[in-house]
Amino acid sequence: MVWEDLSNMALSATSLTLESPCMLEHVMLLAGIVFLSIWLTQMVIKGVELIKKKKNKVSDQDTEILPTVLKYGLAYKTSIFCSTLLVAVHVILLLLMVVKGETQCNSKLVAFTSETVLVLSWVITLISVCKIPKINVKFPLMLRSWWVCSFFLCIINLAFHSHFRISKQTQIGWREYADLLGLLASAVLLGISIRGRTGIVLIATDGISEPLLSEKSGKESDSSSKKESLYGKSTFIQLITFSWLNPLFAVGYKKALEPSDIPDVAIGESAEFLSSSFDESLRKVKEADGTSNPSVFKAIYLFARKKTLINACFAVASAAASYVGPYLITDFVNFLAEKGSRGLNQGYMLSLGFLCAKMIETITQRQWIFGARQAGLRLRVALIAHIYKKGLNLSSRSRQSHSGGEIMNYMSVDVQRITDFMYYINVIWMLPVQVTLAVYILHTNLGLGSLAALVATLTVMATNIPLTRIQKRYQSKIMEAKDSRMKATSEVLRNMKTLKLQAWDTEFQQRLEELRETESIWLWKSLRQGALSALIFWASPTFISLVTFWVCMWMGIELTAGRVLSAFATFRMLQDPIFSLPDLLNVIAQGKVSADRIASYLRKEEVQHNAIENVPRDQTEFDIVIENGRFSWDSETSNPTLDGIDLRVKRGTKVAICGTVGSGKSSLLSGILGEMYKQSGTVKISGTKAYVPQSPWILTGNFRDNITFGKEYNSVKYEKTIEACALIKDFELFSCGDLTEIGERGINMSGGQKQRVQIARSVYQDADIYLFDDPFSAVDAHTGSHLFKECLMGVLREKTILYVTHQVEFLPAADLILVMQNGRIAQAGTFEQLLKQNIGFEVLVGAHSQALESILMVENSSRTTLNPEPEGESNVHSQSNSELSHTLHNTEQGSPPEIKEKEGKLVQDEERERGSISREVYWTYLTTVKGGALVPFIILAQSSFQVLQVASNYWMAWVCPTSSDAKPTYDMDFILLVYMALSVGSALCVLLRAILVAKAGLWTAQKLFIKMLHSVLRAPMSFFDSTPNGRILNRVSTDQSVVDLEMANKLGWCAFSIIQILGTIAVMSQAAWQVFVIFIPVTAVCVWYQRYYTPTARELARLSQIQITPILHHFTESLAGAASIRAFDQEGRFVYSNLELIDNYSKPWFHNVSAMEWLSYRLNILSNFVFAFSLVLLVVLPEGVIDPSIAGLAVTYGINLNVLQAAVIWNICNAENKMISVERIIQYTDIKSEAALVIEDSRPPNNWPEIGTICFKNLQIRYAEHLPCVLKDINCTFPGRKKIGVVGRTGSGKSTLIQAIFRIVEPWEGSIIIDDLDVCKIGLHDLRLRLSIIPQDPTMFEGTVRGNLDPLDQYSDQQVWEALDKCQLGQLVRSKQEKLQASVVENGENWSAGQRQLFCLGRALLKKSSILVLDEATASVDSATDGVIQKIISQEFKDRTVVTIAHRIHTVIASDLVLVLSDGKIVEFDAPSKLLEREDSFFSKLIREYSRRSQSFNCLATQNGQ
């Protein structure tokens, strides 16, 4: 009808007034002729091709292989049936025209020609379907286009003829029934054309059937073990009704869904397919634009255009169908007023028209919404995959400008906003259709008064535009604030151990709260703006109606009840486009900001892929060649980091690289790997590479996976590798051996174990070239010797190796030594050659010689002779230390204790509630602010709005006359004034409600965030050891965004929609209370559907939330180890792992979205029948029983009944899904806390600790209740103001002892007493602020040099400069332009590892505590710098207790006492001289090993010195 009226309006506009217009016949004739012309053209082309084939004597058998048997699919069979049916329908219509002359066209020739062409067209369609080549995967595009066109023609045809019958008040005839039958057949063909597939299957002679889907890749066979996609194999009917989900609901209703219960996504939704499709789109844009940086926007357009076009068709059809109801209301009210004269048939026809329109609206609406979500998922998957791939290839400079937290924001928040746009983009097509139809309906009823409505509508829309601009600015500010908070949060979580050791956690907590406060300010501004938009949304129908009615009154247009009610229904329909416009503009603004951010990121500089030239191994004898190399970390700087590098490394050569801190040693390796920007020169590599970075990179997983690193497990090779890397004993100590799970970043491993696992990983790769960046710094002397001997000189003896080292004793064995200085190779040669040159190398050697002499001096003074060991003992086995310890002291147990199987799993699976969301979660959320005092006011405001709105509409329906002849009850001025008063009151109620919801929601979100933040930061380190950072970041990012911006509205809408539907039912019951006869049982069915749906949807939502974390965690780990991944050429494997993780997320998300549509479809269908029943009731009720105006009002409200009824269930389910975010945040608001920071009743004296005596009494430490003790029965006393050295094999418990002193881990049994005060009885801050530590892993925070040395701002600039000078950094910092304000990027990556360790020393020098702990404090510095540092420590802390853990023996040899640990027990504790007196002491053997290792070096140094 709408289309027919549009046609009539167009005719009247051109003054073509026909008695029986033939426009419809002309349109159908034109469509048929176009179709026939295209078909004929194709036939001619095929004929020409056939003639050419015959001339070339090419038979069909040569080009086409026919299958033995064909199985025809349902789509193919249905298309033949529907085409046959349509041929019959049009033949019948042609016969009716010939026999009875049935036509509304005044030209019978035109009508007859049109119908004849349609018959011919459908006959050809039927022939074409039957003659489709049997190997076709899809129906021809020509047929599909014709079916789409014919569907719309059928709708127009039926609407036209039905309106003609009603206007002429004649009975429904054969023509209308035939039109209806044709429409049904066309609707089925429309669905087939959209899906496109024929469903033909060939049955080969061996009985194997294969669908003819050429786009399916061979990889499907690899995934045959996966659960088959329900969506991928669904039929046409199942796609419309979403019944393909029924098997999943059947499982989900019986039990809580597990990931294994969820079917796979279809091939078209898989991450691998979508990622390659997006890459193809980028390639096309790149070729079209001729640029290396293609536009992401163009690529998104190419990627999503096909799906978007299909969605647009459904969206436009849905919008058009939704306006049929408002258009028919005037006819329906007129029918009720004249029921006796018109007959019931017209009433039934009107009811059928209402129902058909609602059914079409329901089907098309559900399809476009589902399609939009599906398109959003596809784009999300493609973008996340692309962001990940980009992250693996970012250059160092780009990484410094984009922190891990920022990039994770791109993946979580920005990608979500772009995918939201895929939903709202359909509003662009719907908006003009909705406004045009609304204006047309108003024009039909109110004439020129419709122009006033149009102006008012455009005014309201225009009002939204400046508001949207402001909202866009707010969104940008919110994202900036969120980025800053996420970056800081990520940094705090990554360095939590350092913050707790230094007692800085409270300071950094305040910083995070300040960042959150800034974010909250912008959030409130945005939400306040949203409240204003809500006012415009709810008040717009009232404003437009007031303007329209006043203009109508002024122009003298009569306002009858039918016209007013039709206008009301239309104005309510206009709410959608009016509200959609600001939403659309807002989403466009958000999407544009996010797309720009992602586009900017994707355009960032990558590592130079052409920096390295790979040369085949058979073409050269050199594995590495650098000629005139000039490298820089910054591609835009003119000052290179490395300059004048010339290096040629022969195959099998061992090259040692040494030099002072910051001289360019690690940079040289990075240049060889292609990690640095090559400004000039050439780098040639021949062979595969393996890389061991200075900072260990450990993946979450087990030891074996970390070592094999993607290579197939080979037991012989593996055992040989772990033996060479001295890991056998370590694995024995772990509960599940090498299958023990490693915590995030190797949190449950010692520094030495991490390093050895890294080395084992490289050895297992069996590469040609090995690059080791200071691999021996984190291991003890014995283990270092073993690694050097068994790995570098053993397993890898035939390999090319470049190793950076600060330990001079490893230099003599090298074939070539490079001495780096100021970014250049200052010296190169063998050890003997360099000693003879005497131009700098001797500084490093001299420092080491002095250290060695100090050891020998102590050793010789302890005993006059040192009995040489037999030759065989020098080749110590990897377990010799432990074995000697077992033999000599009997301090070990025979075997590790038996432990439960779960002990191998440090990182437990993420917490996941099961069943419905508990009432406590809802109650906690509602009562967080003022005990829920605002909730009643919000409900009262919404209820008042609903009452006032119904009252205003009721008033207009009651006082307006039902016909033009009757007079209104009151004067129109008075009527409109009352209406305006009621409307203004309702608008004010909406504004009050919107502001209260925004305020209460943000207030609640803020309180929950602060509570979660306090809980997390006060958690013990064991929580961070067992919880990946990604889980915490997911909550403070994605979940917090939901609580900030969505939760309050979602929960509010549950109440608001219930209030709305109660108002609607109240109005409908006024007209026909009998509607409750069907409404109550249908509501019961709806509730049953909701309860059937909820268990499945809830678990799907939970699983999709949980599956986000692995993606973020994997991404964080990959970013941290990107250099290693590239060095090992493992990008492909990591990208594939990421795609698998994305698929794991897509599965529950896709099925959750589909489940929502499954429920909505069923609820809408049920609501449609309730509405239809109420219409039939109004038709059959005797005339005079009901006031037609009130009946019309009931219909006006009933039009939206399906939307409201579905909205109630939808909002309840949606709120429950979103409430999962609240549930997850609440989980982290009640984490078991550390001990109190300050205990007021037990505060230590101000001068404590004065002496610094540390006493351990029966100390036992374990990291978790189910794990074995790490320290066992530690009984000893560290005297005050003495230097105590702590030594032992890697993993012996040295670092754990230090953590126990700082109460990072609490004693399981026993106590630690410092200066007669039990540390467990005072507050943590009172303890940690009085102690100083230089940790094993040097940590720096993003900010400035000064901020890193003195975060609490306790010291003057002069004191900071003094500390910098003492730790050898003063000159370097002074050379920076910003001095103390010189920048420090994330992780301190713009400073070398050695420099970072010196900064940590600077912190300790500033603090000047009575007790200083050095945990491998000089592992990353050269011997010369180490000597200077030791001298500074001995001077600055001469009257203080210094506890030193070191693998460099000379660091502890000068200590007053030495504590030797092995496997968590004290082996020895005495003065070094006394321990050396006993040849069988553990310490003696360490000294002897160190001396022997340096013996060759010492001899060479002596010879060259002479």
Side-chain angles (χ1 to χ4, degrees), residues 935-1206:
V935 175
F937 292 101
I938 292 169
I939 292 174
L940 179 62
Q942 179 66 19
S943 302
S944 302
F945 160 74
Q946 189 67 29
V947 169
L948 289 170
Q949 193 183 50
V950 170
S952 64
N953 292 347
Y954 202 93
W955 165 257
M956 290 298 290
W958 179 59
V959 297
C960 288
T962 55
S963 66
S964 301
D965 301 331
K967 294 290 182 185
T969 311
Y970 299 99
D971 185 64
M972 280 308 297
D973 284 336
F974 177 73
I975 290 171
L976 291 178
L977 280 172
V978 172
Y979 177 68
M980 185 169 69
L982 292 169
S983 300
V984 170
S986 67
L988 291 175
C989 289
V990 165
L991 182 61
L992 176 63
R993 183 263 292 167
I995 290 174
L996 286 175
V997 168
K999 190 67 180 174
L1002 184 58
W1003 205 346
T1004 302
Q1006 184 71 355
K1007 286 201 166 191
L1008 286 174
F1009 176 82
I1010 296 298
K1011 198 173 179 184
M1012 174 173 64
L1013 180 66
H1014 287 195
S1015 178
V1016 168
L1017 294 188
R1018 290 285 293 115
M1021 273 310 298
S1022 57
F1023 169 77
F1024 299 98
D1025 293 348
S1026 58
T1027 306
N1029 286 350
R1031 289 185 192 172
I1032 304 171
L1033 291 172
N1034 197 10
R1035 282 168 170 81
V1036 299
S1037 175
T1038 309
D1039 290 321
Q1040 189 61 44
S1041 287
V1042 169
V1043 179
D1044 284 341
L1045 296 167
E1046 297 183 55
M1047 194 63 248
N1049 278 326
K1050 298 295 181 190
L1051 207 56
W1053 272 105
C1054 289
F1056 307 156
S1057 55
I1058 290 170
I1059 292 168
Q1060 274 188 294
I1061 201 167
L1062 289 174
T1064 300
I1065 295 301
V1067 172
M1068 290 181 71
S1069 63
Q1070 289 288 311
W1073 61 265
Q1074 294 89 342
V1075 77
F1076 283 104
V1077 173
I1078 189 170
F1079 178 77
I1080 292 171
V1082 165
T1083 301
V1085 174
C1086 288
V1087 171
W1088 180 85
Y1089 266 127
Q1090 186 260 337
R1091 290 188 174 180
Y1092 184 72
Y1093 156 87
T1094 301
T1096 301
R1098 184 176 52 234
E1099 297 309 316
L1100 287 170
R1102 279 177 175 152
L1103 287 169
S1104 65
Q1105 287 280 59
I1106 287 171
Q1107 294 298 342
I1108 295 172
T1109 304
I1111 297 173
L1112 299 178
H1113 177 62
H1114 179 67
F1115 185 58
T1116 306
E1117 282 194 333
S1118 300
L1119 277 180
S1124 296
I1125 294 169
R1126 289 193 292 266
F1128 285 101
D1129 294 324
Q1130 294 270 0
E1131 296 101 317
R1133 183 170 73 89
F1134 275 80
V1135 166
Y1136 185 74
S1137 297
N1138 180 59
L1139 296 178
E1140 284 189 323
L1141 291 172
I1142 293 173
D1143 277 342
N1144 290 341
Y1145 164 76
S1146 296
K1147 286 196 297 183
W1149 193 93
F1150 174 76
H1151 288 93
N1152 187 31
V1153 167
S1154 306
M1156 288 181 183
E1157 297 309 316
W1158 179 93
L1159 178 67
S1160 298
Y1161 175 81
R1162 281 148 182 77
L1163 297 183
N1164 285 350
I1165 293 293
L1166 290 169
S1167 300
N1168 290 344
F1169 283 110
V1170 170
F1171 178 54
F1173 180 76
S1174 64
L1175 290 174
V1176 172
L1177 267 180
L1178 293 173
V1179 170
V1180 298
L1181 283 174
E1183 190 175 2
V1185 172
I1186 182 88
D1187 184 349
S1189 300
I1190 304 303
L1193 182 65
V1195 175
T1196 303
Y1197 273 82
I1199 286 173
N1200 289 329
L1201 181 64
N1202 68 320
V1203 177
L1204 291 175
Q1205 195 171 13

Side-chain angles (χ1 to χ4, degrees), residues 81-144:
F81 173 77
C82 290
S83 298
T84 306
L85 184 61
L86 281 160
V87 170
V89 165
H90 285 286
V91 168
I92 291 169
L93 290 174
L94 187 61
L95 291 173
L96 286 170
M97 196 179 297
V98 172
V99 176
K100 294 187 176 182
E102 283 201 14
T103 177
Q104 283 82 44
C105 179
N106 58 354
S107 171
K108 292 195 175 182
L109 177 62
V110 172
F112 183 80
T113 307
S114 172
E115 200 61 52
T116 304
V117 168
L118 286 175
V119 170
L120 185 60
S121 298
W122 281 109
V123 169
I124 289 172
T125 300
L126 181 60
I127 294 169
S128 299
V129 172
C130 294
K131 293 293 183 180
I132 285 175
K134 300 306 182 283
I135 57 168
N136 268 31
V137 173
K138 292 187 175 183
F139 288 102
L141 183 61
M142 180 192 72
L143 277 180
R144 292 163 65 190

